């Protein structure tokens, strides 16, 4: 009987110890799970805040970009508008001149070097009128004068001209080429007197 009691007590002690260990394990598991859940929630909150900061930063950049683009677009529009009005004014001014005056404008400052044989290429003008003018300006050194089209002999911009006109004078050996073109005159005019032209045409 004593042995049975001893066995019963031992069993109870073993069960009690097992319960204590199980309770400890469960408690640790609950603590770990709570900690894990808390960590997950914190991570989620951190990520949410980081994403919010990133989105706000992106929104700020977008707003700044849009705000900075407005003055640029306005400036571009103003420049385009002024250029358009300048071109219109120059075209109207040229239309008030006859061919002789426009040719005189092109040849202003041109001094032919005697003995230098040259070819002349004319475009935009009435060919007969321009040829007579070139013959007088160059004299006996003119080897030939022929009609061509804009941009064929030299590449140049129109600068908004309705009717590009010009005379290209080239030495027979092609060592010298002189551009007497309306686009060059207008380009130089825009470069040196743009502000004065804008003030005269636009009042500003």
């Amino acid at each position: 009987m004593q042995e049975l009691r001893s066995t019963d007590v031992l069993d109870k002690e073993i069960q009690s110890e097992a319960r204590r260990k199980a309770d400890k394990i469960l408690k640790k598991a609950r603590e770990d799970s709570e900690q894990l859940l808390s960590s997950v929630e914190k991570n989620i909150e951190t990520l949410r805040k980081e994403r919010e900061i990133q989105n706000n930063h992106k929104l700020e950049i977008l707003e700044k970009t849009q705000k900075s683009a407005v003055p640029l677009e306005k400036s571009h529009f103003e420049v385009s508008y002024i250029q358009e009005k300048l071109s219109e004014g120059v075209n109207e001014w040229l239309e008030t001149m006859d061919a002789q005056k426009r040719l005189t404008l092109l040849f202003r400052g041109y001094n032919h070097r005697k003995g230098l044989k040259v070819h002349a290429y004319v475009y935009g003008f009435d060919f007969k009128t321009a040829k007579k003018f070139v013959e007088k300006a160059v004299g006996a050194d003119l080897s030939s004068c022929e009609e061509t089209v804009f941009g064929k002999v030299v590449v140049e911009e129109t600068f908004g001209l309705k009717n590009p006109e010009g005379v290209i004078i080239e030495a027979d050996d092609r060592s010298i080429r002189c551009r007497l073109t309306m686009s060059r005159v207008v380009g130089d005019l825009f470069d040196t007197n743009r502000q004065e032209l804008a003030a005269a045409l636009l009042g500003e």
Side-chain angles (χ1 to χ4, degrees):
M1 291 293 290
Q2 186 66 32
E3 289 179 0
L4 289 173
R5 284 199 203 95
S6 298
T7 303
D8 187 48
V9 170
L10 183 61
D11 287 343
K12 287 180 179 179
E13 287 178 355
I14 291 171
Q15 289 175 8
S16 178
E17 182 65 22
R19 273 196 297 272
R20 280 198 300 273
K21 288 184 178 180
D23 289 341
K24 188 176 181 180
I25 291 171
L26 288 173
K27 183 179 179 182
K28 184 67 170 59
R30 279 195 295 270
E31 289 175 352
D32 290 345
S33 63
E34 287 174 1
Q35 187 176 358
L36 179 61
L37 288 173
S38 177
S39 174
V40 169
E41 288 176 359
K42 286 180 180 178
N43 288 338
I44 290 172
E45 181 65 17
T46 301
L47 288 172
R48 188 188 66 77
K49 288 181 178 179
E50 288 177 355
R51 181 58 60 87
E52 186 176 344
I53 291 171
Q54 289 176 356
N55 289 339
N56 289 338
H57 182 61
K58 288 179 181 178
L59 184 60
E60 287 176 4
I61 293 174
L62 181 61
E63 288 176 350
K64 287 179 180 178
T65 302
Q66 289 178 337
K67 286 179 180 178
S68 64
V70 170
L72 290 174
E73 290 176 2
K74 182 181 177 183
S75 177
H76 178 71
F77 174 78
E78 288 176 350
V79 170
S80 298
Y81 175 78
I82 291 171
Q83 183 61 44
E84 182 182 342
K85 291 302 176 184
L86 288 177
S87 297
E88 288 178 6
V90 167
N91 280 305
E92 290 174 5
W93 172 59
L94 292 174
E95 286 172 1
T96 64
M97 300 181 188
D98 59 23
Q100 288 292 327
K101 287 183 179 179
R102 296 197 304 277
L103 284 162
T104 301
L105 179 63
L106 294 190
F107 275 79
R108 183 183 58 179
Y110 174 78
N111 292 308
H112 181 72
R113 191 176 77 194
K114 289 186 178 181
L116 178 67
K117 294 291 184 180
V118 297
H119 295 280
Y121 303 90
V122 176
Y123 64 85
F125 289 101
D126 173 73
F127 180 65
K128 289 182 180 179
T129 302
K131 185 179 180 182
K132 286 180 182 179
F133 193 97
V134 174
E135 287 172 345
K136 184 177 180 181
V138 177
D141 288 331
L142 184 65
S143 297
S144 66
C145 183
E146 60 183 271
E147 192 170 13
T148 186
V149 294
F150 173 76
K152 184 175 181 180
V153 179
V154 291
V155 177
E156 49 187 320
E157 296 180 50
T158 64
F159 289 100
L161 290 173
K162 287 183 182 178
N163 303 304
E165 297 172 317
V167 178
I168 311 296
I169 295 178
E170 187 177 69
D172 284 4
D173 61 2
R174 296 187 177 181
S175 60
I176 297 174
R177 176 181 285 168
C178 186
R179 260 195 327 130
L180 307 173
T181 68
M182 198 60 72
S183 62
R184 185 169 187 174
V185 170
V186 172
D188 291 344
L189 191 64
F190 284 167
D191 287 341
T192 57
N193 301 97
R194 182 180 295 270
Q195 190 170 351
E196 292 83 351
L197 286 168
L201 291 169
L202 305 174
E204 292 292 341

